[in-house]
Amino acid sequence: MRFLNKINSHRTILHCDCNGYYASVECLLRPELCNLPMAVTGNPENRHGIVLAKNQLAKEAGVLTAETISEAKRKCPNLVCVRPQHDLYQEYSVKINNIYREYTERVEPFGIDESFLDMTDLWQNFAISPAKFADSLRKRIRENIGLTISVGVSFNKILAKLGSDLKKPDATTVISPEDLPTKVWPLDITNLLYVGKVTAERLRILNINTIGDIAKTDPAFLASYFGKIGENLSLYARGLENSEVQKYSELDEAKSIGNGMTFSEDLTDWTKIKDGLSGLVDEVVTRLIKAKKVCNVIQVQLKSSDFQVYSRQTTLDQHIQKREQIWVIVWQLINELWDETTPIRLLAVTVSGLENQGEVYTQMSLADLSSSNKQTVVAEDNKTKDSAKQDQIRNLVFKLNQQMGGNFLKLGKNK
Ligand SMILES: [Mg+2]
């Protein structure tokens, strides 16, 4: 192929993907779950709670991510549901990334259970080939952590990511430039990162069904028909994506803490959205607390099933950290953002404006407020403190109302 010589083939990029991550961590800590169909879910007492992850046995029984617990139990009556422990998943994620970092400083997490590694000119120190290095890394994670990973090895991030999906669990897939026509182009378009249901349908109308079809289509046509995403898909399909793997140390000094989730089935009702967002907020708050940070910018992002991205954020005058404070704002933002009809494929919550905890004035929780309201007899000292506290909160609520167009919080009169 004429353009193959334009490919930047000297790099060695790995994409490492933990297999069935949430469920695997749960099974690791509670081995009795391994031989049962199990799912990590929202609140099982709420019949509309959704499946966030499932193990192999549940998968074989037809359980899907993002379906309700009752839908899942209809297919798999003996399904064991466990609540997510996001701090635990975060902890394991750090442990796994720390292992990757023993081999290269360029480790870029892509979600909680996936990372890109740039092993260019480094794999030679550890193995006789990039594939052998990937094999030894899988063994290391299996033995040291007890989880399995699938690894894609290629010359760019997109193809490494595609490779890690081709064989799992616990497998290595290499995609070299020469493999492009034989291993990649015959694959269905949905194997390519960012080709979702709606884009796939639009491509199929044009009789573009495989990644090879994308590669052979005039890039200018794809760009005019699909915009930026068309341009990118053409580069991806031709092996020309070339972005760097970020250094972990540079990510460490995070300017923001965010978490997103792509749902295998589009979300179309408030209950599922609430469950999805709730899990994301849990994880963001856990990371915020762990990093000893407070935030004053909160953003909610949603990607529709046709890959349009919508986001909304608010900046507060004071920094916050507590879950209930962040949740109220996230809920407000999603209510402003979602039109109640667009199917949602991805939700993300990001907090920024990070400062070190204790170095800036932080707002009291709403619970603090109500408890101070309930106090009827207080010592003089406390009374002064309490009214100062209430004034601060009144000011905050006033500002929030101004910023968010009213009705953010209704502060009752002293009871
Ligand atoms: Mg995974």
Side-chain angles (χ1 to χ4, degrees), residues 15-22 112-114 148 150 161 165 168:
H15 180 261
C16 301
D17 187 358
C18 297
N19 306 123
Y21 186 58
Y22 287 6
I112 192 168
D113 70 326
E114 303 176 23
T148 63
S150 294
K161 163 94 179 146
D165 266 341
K168 50 188 171 186

mmCIF file of all heavy atoms in Angstrom, residues 15-22 112-114 148 150 161 165 168, ligand 1:
data_model
loop_
_atom_site.group_PDB
_atom_site.id
_atom_site.type_symbol
_atom_site.label_atom_id
_atom_site.label_comp_id
_atom_site.label_asym_id
_atom_site.label_seq_id
_atom_site.Cartn_x
_atom_site.Cartn_y
_atom_site.Cartn_z
ATOM 1 N N HIS A 15 -0.946 -1.316 24.994
ATOM 2 C CA HIS A 15 -2.177 -0.980 25.710
ATOM 3 C C HIS A 15 -2.523 -2.166 26.595
ATOM 4 O O HIS A 15 -2.710 -3.278 26.114
ATOM 5 C CB HIS A 15 -3.331 -0.687 24.742
ATOM 6 C CG HIS A 15 -4.607 -0.348 25.466
ATOM 7 N ND1 HIS A 15 -5.606 -1.271 25.668
ATOM 8 C CD2 HIS A 15 -5.021 0.793 26.070
ATOM 9 C CE1 HIS A 15 -6.595 -0.695 26.364
ATOM 10 N NE2 HIS A 15 -6.258 0.556 26.617
ATOM 11 N N CYS A 16 -2.554 -1.906 27.914
ATOM 12 C CA CYS A 16 -2.805 -2.977 28.874
ATOM 13 C C CYS A 16 -4.196 -2.775 29.459
ATOM 14 O O CYS A 16 -4.500 -1.700 29.982
ATOM 15 C CB CYS A 16 -1.779 -2.939 30.001
ATOM 16 S SG CYS A 16 -0.091 -3.110 29.402
ATOM 17 N N ASP A 17 -5.013 -3.788 29.372
ATOM 18 C CA ASP A 17 -6.417 -3.682 29.765
ATOM 19 C C ASP A 17 -6.746 -4.797 30.759
ATOM 20 O O ASP A 17 -6.588 -5.978 30.438
ATOM 21 C CB ASP A 17 -7.278 -3.813 28.499
ATOM 22 C CG ASP A 17 -8.747 -3.540 28.773
ATOM 23 O OD1 ASP A 17 -9.107 -3.289 29.939
ATOM 24 O OD2 ASP A 17 -9.532 -3.594 27.806
ATOM 25 N N CYS A 18 -7.150 -4.421 31.961
ATOM 26 C CA CYS A 18 -7.531 -5.436 32.949
ATOM 27 C C CYS A 18 -8.823 -6.107 32.500
ATOM 28 O O CYS A 18 -9.756 -5.435 32.060
ATOM 29 C CB CYS A 18 -7.758 -4.804 34.319
ATOM 30 S SG CYS A 18 -6.272 -4.066 34.989
ATOM 31 N N ASN A 19 -8.888 -7.411 32.649
ATOM 32 C CA ASN A 19 -10.068 -8.143 32.197
ATOM 33 C C ASN A 19 -11.142 -8.135 33.285
ATOM 34 O O ASN A 19 -10.884 -8.529 34.417
ATOM 35 C CB ASN A 19 -9.674 -9.588 31.853
ATOM 36 C CG ASN A 19 -8.522 -9.646 30.837
ATOM 37 O OD1 ASN A 19 -7.484 -10.241 31.080
ATOM 38 N ND2 ASN A 19 -8.697 -8.998 29.705
ATOM 39 N N GLY A 20 -12.329 -7.673 32.917
ATOM 40 C CA GLY A 20 -13.476 -7.638 33.841
ATOM 41 C C GLY A 20 -13.116 -7.011 35.178
ATOM 42 O O GLY A 20 -13.313 -7.605 36.236
ATOM 43 N N TYR A 21 -12.614 -5.791 35.136
ATOM 44 C CA TYR A 21 -11.882 -5.226 36.265
ATOM 45 C C TYR A 21 -12.622 -5.232 37.610
ATOM 46 O O TYR A 21 -12.165 -5.866 38.558
ATOM 47 C CB TYR A 21 -11.433 -3.805 35.914
ATOM 48 C CG TYR A 21 -10.554 -3.197 36.966
ATOM 49 C CD1 TYR A 21 -9.361 -3.808 37.335
ATOM 50 C CD2 TYR A 21 -10.923 -2.018 37.602
ATOM 51 C CE1 TYR A 21 -8.551 -3.251 38.310
ATOM 52 C CE2 TYR A 21 -10.113 -1.462 38.580
ATOM 53 C CZ TYR A 21 -8.933 -2.082 38.929
ATOM 54 O OH TYR A 21 -8.137 -1.539 39.896
ATOM 55 N N TYR A 22 -13.749 -4.530 37.699
ATOM 56 C CA TYR A 22 -14.437 -4.430 39.007
ATOM 57 C C TYR A 22 -14.729 -5.825 39.563
ATOM 58 O O TYR A 22 -14.473 -6.121 40.732
ATOM 59 C CB TYR A 22 -15.773 -3.682 38.890
ATOM 60 C CG TYR A 22 -15.705 -2.203 38.677
ATOM 61 C CD1 TYR A 22 -14.501 -1.550 38.465
ATOM 62 C CD2 TYR A 22 -16.881 -1.441 38.694
ATOM 63 C CE1 TYR A 22 -14.469 -0.174 38.261
ATOM 64 C CE2 TYR A 22 -16.850 -0.063 38.498
ATOM 65 C CZ TYR A 22 -15.649 0.552 38.272
ATOM 66 O OH TYR A 22 -15.616 1.908 38.068
ATOM 67 N N ILE A 112 -9.893 3.683 34.533
ATOM 68 C CA ILE A 112 -9.349 3.130 35.772
ATOM 69 C C ILE A 112 -8.583 1.826 35.546
ATOM 70 O O ILE A 112 -7.652 1.508 36.275
ATOM 71 C CB ILE A 112 -10.479 2.927 36.812
ATOM 72 C CG1 ILE A 112 -9.906 2.639 38.195
ATOM 73 C CG2 ILE A 112 -11.473 1.863 36.387
ATOM 74 C CD1 ILE A 112 -10.908 2.721 39.314
ATOM 75 N N ASP A 113 -8.910 1.078 34.497
ATOM 76 C CA ASP A 113 -8.328 -0.254 34.353
ATOM 77 C C ASP A 113 -7.543 -0.446 33.063
ATOM 78 O O ASP A 113 -7.244 -1.565 32.672
ATOM 79 C CB ASP A 113 -9.430 -1.320 34.468
ATOM 80 C CG ASP A 113 -10.357 -1.316 33.266
ATOM 81 O OD1 ASP A 113 -10.601 -0.221 32.717
ATOM 82 O OD2 ASP A 113 -10.818 -2.394 32.876
ATOM 83 N N GLU A 114 -7.199 0.650 32.407
ATOM 84 C CA GLU A 114 -6.441 0.539 31.154
ATOM 85 C C GLU A 114 -5.316 1.570 31.158
ATOM 86 O O GLU A 114 -5.501 2.672 31.658
ATOM 87 C CB GLU A 114 -7.327 0.873 29.944
ATOM 88 C CG GLU A 114 -8.569 0.035 29.823
ATOM 89 C CD GLU A 114 -9.449 0.506 28.655
ATOM 90 O OE1 GLU A 114 -8.932 1.152 27.716
ATOM 91 O OE2 GLU A 114 -10.641 0.226 28.708
ATOM 92 N N THR A 148 -5.804 -10.565 35.667
ATOM 93 C CA THR A 148 -5.272 -10.791 34.324
ATOM 94 C C THR A 148 -5.477 -9.544 33.473
ATOM 95 O O THR A 148 -6.431 -8.802 33.656
ATOM 96 C CB THR A 148 -5.953 -11.994 33.625
ATOM 97 O OG1 THR A 148 -7.336 -11.715 33.459
ATOM 98 C CG2 THR A 148 -5.766 -13.265 34.444
ATOM 99 N N SER A 150 -5.085 -8.024 29.264
ATOM 100 C CA SER A 150 -4.845 -8.278 27.846
ATOM 101 C C SER A 150 -3.989 -7.140 27.332
ATOM 102 O O SER A 150 -4.217 -5.987 27.695
ATOM 103 C CB SER A 150 -6.154 -8.316 27.074
ATOM 104 O OG SER A 150 -6.889 -9.434 27.502
ATOM 105 N N LYS A 161 -4.597 -0.291 21.363
ATOM 106 C CA LYS A 161 -5.895 -0.432 22.027
ATOM 107 C C LYS A 161 -6.754 -1.481 21.306
ATOM 108 O O LYS A 161 -7.365 -2.339 21.925
ATOM 109 C CB LYS A 161 -6.588 0.943 22.050
ATOM 110 C CG LYS A 161 -8.067 0.944 22.332
ATOM 111 C CD LYS A 161 -8.399 1.138 23.795
ATOM 112 C CE LYS A 161 -9.909 1.150 24.000
ATOM 113 N NZ LYS A 161 -10.324 0.574 25.264
ATOM 114 N N ASP A 165 -8.058 -5.661 22.614
ATOM 115 C CA ASP A 165 -9.439 -6.148 22.573
ATOM 116 C C ASP A 165 -9.594 -7.436 21.778
ATOM 117 O O ASP A 165 -10.606 -8.116 21.895
ATOM 118 C CB ASP A 165 -10.336 -5.085 21.901
ATOM 119 C CG ASP A 165 -10.966 -4.173 22.926
ATOM 120 O OD1 ASP A 165 -11.013 -4.579 24.110
ATOM 121 O OD2 ASP A 165 -11.402 -3.072 22.551
ATOM 122 N N LYS A 168 -8.699 -11.983 24.578
ATOM 123 C CA LYS A 168 -8.755 -11.863 26.032
ATOM 124 C C LYS A 168 -9.503 -13.049 26.608
ATOM 125 O O LYS A 168 -10.235 -13.702 25.874
ATOM 126 C CB LYS A 168 -9.385 -10.531 26.448
ATOM 127 C CG LYS A 168 -10.707 -10.168 25.797
ATOM 128 C CD LYS A 168 -11.052 -8.737 26.189
ATOM 129 C CE LYS A 168 -12.231 -8.223 25.407
ATOM 130 N NZ LYS A 168 -12.543 -6.836 25.622
HETATM 131 MG MG MG B 1 -11.011 -3.608 31.035
#
